[in-house]
Amino acid sequence: SQTIHQWPATLVQPVGSPLSLECTVEGTSNPNLYWYRQAAGRGLQLLFYSVGIGQISSEVPQNLSASRPQDRQFILSSKKLLLSDSGFYLCAWRGGGSNQPQHFGDGTRLSIL
Amino acid sequence: KQEVTQIPAALSVPEGENLVLNCSFTDSAIYNLQWFRQDPGKGLTSLLLIQSSQREQTSGRLNASLDKSSGRSTLYIAASQPGDSATYLCAVRVNSGGYQKVTFGIGTKLQVIP
Protein backbone atom coordinates (compact mmCIF):
# COMPACT_ATOMS: atom_id res chain seq x y z
CA SER A 1 0.00 0.00 0.00
CA GLN A 2 1.03 3.59 -0.53
CA THR A 3 2.28 5.74 2.31
CA ILE A 4 3.44 9.32 2.59
CA HIS A 5 5.98 10.54 5.10
CA GLN A 6 6.54 14.13 6.04
CA TRP A 7 9.07 15.51 8.50
CA PRO A 8 9.72 17.12 10.82
CA ALA A 9 6.36 17.21 12.58
CA THR A 10 7.14 20.52 14.26
CA LEU A 11 9.82 23.11 13.68
CA VAL A 12 10.71 26.37 15.38
CA GLN A 13 13.02 28.62 13.42
CA PRO A 14 14.29 32.20 13.81
CA VAL A 15 13.54 34.83 11.19
CA GLY A 16 16.13 34.81 8.43
CA SER A 17 17.13 31.18 8.90
CA PRO A 18 16.91 28.59 6.09
CA LEU A 19 14.24 25.91 5.79
CA SER A 20 14.05 22.41 4.43
CA LEU A 21 10.95 20.25 4.76
CA GLU A 22 10.97 16.81 3.23
CA CYS A 23 8.22 14.59 1.91
CA THR A 24 8.54 11.07 0.53
CA VAL A 25 6.00 8.68 -0.92
CA GLU A 26 6.26 4.90 -0.90
CA GLY A 27 4.40 2.24 -2.81
CA THR A 28 3.73 4.14 -6.03
CA SER A 29 5.65 5.54 -8.95
CA ASN A 30 5.47 8.85 -10.78
CA PRO A 31 2.99 10.45 -8.38
CA ASN A 32 1.79 14.02 -8.66
CA LEU A 33 3.17 15.81 -5.59
CA TYR A 34 1.90 18.91 -3.83
CA TRP A 35 2.88 21.34 -1.09
CA TYR A 36 0.08 23.22 0.68
CA ARG A 37 0.00 25.72 3.51
CA GLN A 38 -2.95 25.87 5.89
CA ALA A 39 -3.53 29.01 7.92
CA ALA A 40 -6.04 29.24 10.75
CA GLY A 41 -9.52 30.04 9.46
CA ARG A 42 -8.47 29.74 5.85
CA GLY A 43 -8.60 26.98 3.29
CA LEU A 44 -5.56 25.10 2.09
CA GLN A 45 -3.38 27.20 -0.19
CA LEU A 46 -1.51 25.34 -2.92
CA LEU A 47 2.15 26.42 -2.97
CA PHE A 48 3.81 24.04 -5.43
CA TYR A 49 2.96 20.99 -7.46
CA SER A 50 5.06 18.56 -9.48
CA VAL A 51 4.09 16.07 -12.16
CA GLY A 52 7.58 14.58 -12.49
CA ILE A 53 11.25 14.76 -11.51
CA GLY A 54 12.56 18.29 -11.89
CA GLN A 55 9.14 19.61 -12.92
CA ILE A 56 7.91 22.19 -10.43
CA SER A 57 5.10 24.67 -10.81
CA SER A 58 4.55 27.51 -8.39
CA GLU A 59 1.11 28.81 -7.53
CA VAL A 60 2.01 31.69 -5.27
CA PRO A 61 5.09 33.96 -5.56
CA GLN A 62 6.97 34.02 -2.29
CA ASN A 63 10.33 33.32 -0.73
CA LEU A 64 9.74 29.57 -0.76
CA SER A 65 10.95 27.10 -3.38
CA ALA A 66 10.41 23.43 -4.06
CA SER A 67 12.49 20.69 -5.62
CA ARG A 68 11.91 17.12 -6.70
CA PRO A 69 15.30 15.42 -6.88
CA GLN A 70 13.82 11.92 -7.05
CA ASP A 71 10.53 10.49 -8.27
CA ARG A 72 9.02 10.14 -4.81
CA GLN A 73 10.76 12.94 -2.95
CA PHE A 74 9.49 16.50 -2.68
CA ILE A 75 11.33 19.18 -0.74
CA LEU A 76 10.12 22.60 0.37
CA SER A 77 12.89 25.13 1.02
CA SER A 78 13.62 28.71 1.88
CA LYS A 79 16.90 30.61 2.07
CA LYS A 80 15.60 33.18 4.58
CA LEU A 81 12.39 32.66 6.51
CA LEU A 82 9.93 35.46 7.20
CA LEU A 83 7.50 35.76 10.10
CA SER A 84 4.67 35.33 7.59
CA ASP A 85 5.98 31.86 6.70
CA SER A 86 4.59 30.48 9.95
CA GLY A 87 1.86 27.93 9.37
CA PHE A 88 0.95 24.30 8.89
CA TYR A 89 2.56 22.78 5.81
CA LEU A 90 1.07 19.73 4.17
CA CYS A 91 2.49 17.47 1.51
CA ALA A 92 0.15 15.43 -0.66
CA TRP A 93 0.35 12.94 -3.52
CA ARG A 94 -2.04 11.75 -6.18
CA GLY A 95 -1.86 9.04 -8.80
CA GLY A 96 -2.20 9.79 -12.49
CA GLY A 97 -5.63 10.21 -14.04
CA SER A 98 -8.40 12.70 -13.48
CA ASN A 99 -10.23 10.80 -10.79
CA GLN A 100 -7.52 9.69 -8.43
CA PRO A 101 -7.94 10.86 -4.81
CA GLN A 102 -5.40 13.04 -3.09
CA HIS A 103 -3.61 11.70 -0.01
CA PHE A 104 -1.93 13.85 2.62
CA GLY A 105 0.97 13.57 5.01
CA ASP A 106 0.68 14.41 8.69
CA GLY A 107 1.91 17.97 8.21
CA THR A 108 4.66 20.16 9.66
CA ARG A 109 3.85 22.91 12.14
CA LEU A 110 6.32 25.71 11.40
CA SER A 111 6.73 28.55 13.90
CA ILE A 112 8.94 31.50 13.08
CA LEU A 113 10.31 33.53 16.00
CA LYS B 1 -12.44 31.40 -10.14
CA GLN B 2 -13.73 28.42 -8.22
CA GLU B 3 -14.99 29.17 -4.71
CA VAL B 4 -15.92 26.48 -2.21
CA THR B 5 -18.15 27.22 0.77
CA GLN B 6 -18.93 24.95 3.67
CA ILE B 7 -21.87 25.48 5.97
CA PRO B 8 -22.08 25.39 8.92
CA ALA B 9 -18.62 26.41 10.06
CA ALA B 10 -19.12 24.48 13.29
CA LEU B 11 -21.63 21.92 14.48
CA SER B 12 -22.22 20.25 17.83
CA VAL B 13 -24.51 17.24 18.11
CA PRO B 14 -25.25 14.56 20.72
CA GLU B 15 -23.94 11.08 20.09
CA GLY B 16 -26.19 8.91 17.93
CA GLU B 17 -27.65 11.69 15.81
CA ASN B 18 -27.59 11.62 12.04
CA LEU B 19 -26.14 14.77 10.53
CA VAL B 20 -25.50 16.49 7.21
CA LEU B 21 -22.56 18.67 6.25
CA ASN B 22 -22.88 20.94 3.24
CA CYS B 23 -20.45 22.01 0.55
CA SER B 24 -21.20 24.36 -2.33
CA PHE B 25 -19.05 25.40 -5.26
CA THR B 26 -19.41 28.10 -7.88
CA ASP B 27 -18.02 26.41 -11.00
CA SER B 28 -19.99 23.28 -11.84
CA ALA B 29 -17.45 22.05 -14.44
CA ILE B 30 -15.67 19.81 -11.98
CA TYR B 31 -13.79 16.52 -12.45
CA ASN B 32 -14.53 15.30 -8.97
CA LEU B 33 -15.21 16.24 -5.37
CA GLN B 34 -13.40 14.79 -2.41
CA TRP B 35 -14.35 14.82 1.29
CA PHE B 36 -11.64 14.75 3.96
CA ARG B 37 -11.51 14.77 7.72
CA GLN B 38 -8.78 16.51 9.65
CA ASP B 39 -8.01 15.89 13.29
CA PRO B 40 -6.38 18.74 15.25
CA GLY B 41 -2.75 19.22 14.29
CA LYS B 42 -2.89 16.41 11.75
CA GLY B 43 -3.00 15.99 8.01
CA LEU B 44 -6.11 15.31 5.95
CA THR B 45 -7.58 11.83 5.70
CA SER B 46 -9.49 11.04 2.53
CA LEU B 47 -13.05 9.85 3.18
CA LEU B 48 -14.85 9.73 -0.15
CA LEU B 49 -14.27 10.82 -3.72
CA ILE B 50 -17.22 11.39 -6.06
CA GLN B 51 -16.55 11.58 -9.77
CA SER B 52 -18.44 14.19 -11.78
CA SER B 53 -20.52 11.44 -13.41
CA GLN B 54 -21.61 10.01 -10.06
CA ARG B 55 -24.44 11.05 -7.76
CA GLU B 56 -23.21 9.54 -4.52
CA GLN B 57 -20.61 7.41 -2.79
CA THR B 58 -20.90 5.41 0.41
CA SER B 59 -18.37 4.15 2.92
CA GLY B 60 -19.66 2.65 6.14
CA ARG B 61 -21.70 5.27 8.00
CA LEU B 62 -20.73 7.96 5.50
CA ASN B 63 -22.65 8.89 2.38
CA ALA B 64 -21.63 11.71 0.09
CA SER B 65 -23.90 13.07 -2.62
CA LEU B 66 -23.14 15.33 -5.55
CA ASP B 67 -25.49 17.61 -7.48
CA LYS B 68 -23.17 19.12 -10.04
CA SER B 69 -25.77 21.30 -11.75
CA SER B 70 -26.61 23.11 -8.53
CA GLY B 71 -23.01 23.15 -7.30
CA ARG B 72 -23.68 21.23 -4.11
CA SER B 73 -22.47 18.23 -2.20
CA THR B 74 -23.52 16.83 1.14
CA LEU B 75 -21.79 14.49 3.54
CA TYR B 76 -24.24 12.44 5.58
CA ILE B 77 -22.98 10.82 8.77
CA ALA B 78 -25.25 8.22 10.30
CA ALA B 79 -25.37 7.40 14.01
CA SER B 80 -22.63 9.85 14.92
CA GLN B 81 -19.96 8.84 17.45
CA PRO B 82 -17.52 10.90 19.56
CA GLY B 83 -14.73 9.57 17.33
CA ASP B 84 -16.31 11.42 14.42
CA SER B 85 -15.32 14.72 16.04
CA ALA B 86 -13.00 16.46 13.58
CA THR B 87 -12.99 19.13 10.89
CA TYR B 88 -14.49 17.98 7.61
CA LEU B 89 -13.28 19.56 4.38
CA CYS B 90 -14.51 19.27 0.84
CA ALA B 91 -12.35 19.89 -2.20
CA VAL B 92 -13.29 20.19 -5.86
CA ARG B 93 -11.02 19.49 -8.80
CA VAL B 94 -11.36 21.52 -11.98
CA ASN B 95 -9.35 22.08 -15.12
CA SER B 96 -7.36 25.31 -14.83
CA GLY B 97 -4.95 26.50 -17.46
CA GLY B 98 -4.06 23.03 -18.70
CA TYR B 99 -3.74 21.29 -15.39
CA GLN B 100 -6.16 20.19 -12.73
CA LYS B 101 -6.51 22.48 -9.75
CA VAL B 102 -8.03 21.62 -6.41
CA THR B 103 -9.91 24.20 -4.35
CA PHE B 104 -10.66 23.48 -0.70
CA GLY B 105 -13.37 24.77 1.56
CA ILE B 106 -12.47 26.05 5.02
CA GLY B 107 -14.24 23.13 6.63
CA THR B 108 -16.94 22.30 9.14
CA LYS B 109 -15.76 21.61 12.67
CA LEU B 110 -17.87 18.79 14.09
CA GLN B 111 -18.15 17.95 17.76
CA VAL B 112 -20.07 14.84 18.80
CA ILE B 113 -20.96 14.96 22.47
CA PRO B 114 -21.05 11.65 24.37
Side-chain angles (χ1 to χ4, degrees):
Chain A
S1 63
Q2 302 90 354
T3 56
I4 179 169
H5 302 281
Q6 191 179 338
W7 68 92
T10 59
L11 188 60
V12 181
Q13 292 283 95
V15 169
S17 63
L19 173 73
S20 180
L21 303 181
E22 190 163 344
C23 173
T24 60
V25 181
E26 296 178 358
T28 187
S29 60
N30 198 30
N32 294 329
L33 296 171
Y34 307 83
W35 278 111
Y36 290 90
R37 177 167 56 204
Q38 185 178 34
R42 300 176 63 181
L44 272 71
Q45 178 187 37
L46 178 63
L47 302 175
F48 300 95
Y49 72 95
S50 172
V51 298
I53 296 175
Q55 300 178 60
I56 309 294
S57 295
S58 174
E59 281 290 295
V60 181
Q62 57 215 320
N63 70 320
L64 299 172
S65 62
S67 61
R68 185 170 178 174
Q70 300 181 44
D71 181 45
R72 290 168 289 176
Q73 184 183 28
F74 206 23
I75 298 172
L76 182 68
S77 304
S78 174
K79 293 181 179 179
K80 295 179 74 173
L81 286 166
L82 306 173
L83 281 174
S84 58
D85 291 324
S86 292
F88 192 50
Y89 289 82
L90 290 157
C91 179
W93 76 272
R94 191 175 71 89
S98 302
N99 283 305
Q100 293 298 313
Q102 212 168 24
H103 302 278
F104 284 78
D106 286 336
T108 295
R109 174 70 60 190
L110 175 63
S111 299
I112 309 300
L113 302 179
Chain B
K1 179 185 174 184
Q2 178 74 271
E3 293 182 4
V4 179
T5 304
Q6 291 188 247
I7 295 174
L11 181 64
S12 183
V13 300
E15 180 178 3
E17 271 203 9
N18 304 324
L19 59 101
V20 175
L21 306 180
N22 298 291
C23 173
S24 61
F25 46 94
T26 54
D27 183 353
S28 61
I30 66 171
Y31 281 117
N32 58 50
L33 184 146
Q34 194 170 357
W35 281 95
F36 297 87
R37 71 172 278 168
Q38 184 177 27
D39 295 288
K42 298 293 186 181
L44 280 65
T45 300
S46 178
L47 298 174
L48 291 164
L49 181 143
I50 310 178
Q51 299 178 25
S52 61
S53 59
Q54 297 175 324
R55 299 279 299 178
E56 65 178 340
Q57 281 286 332
T58 298
S59 175
R61 294 182 294 107
L62 305 179
N63 177 279
S65 69
L66 175 64
D67 184 342
K68 210 173 65 164
S69 61
S70 68
R72 293 180 182 178
S73 175
T74 61
L75 180 66
Y76 174 83
I77 302 177
S80 58
Q81 303 171 359
D84 295 330
S85 298
T87 297
Y88 291 80
L89 297 98
C90 70
V92 297
R93 181 176 297 278
V94 300
N95 190 23
S96 175
Y99 84 100
Q100 294 179 16
K101 181 175 181 178
V102 177
T103 303
F104 286 81
I106 295 177
T108 294
K109 186 174 183 179
L110 172 66
Q111 182 183 26
V112 181
I113 303 169

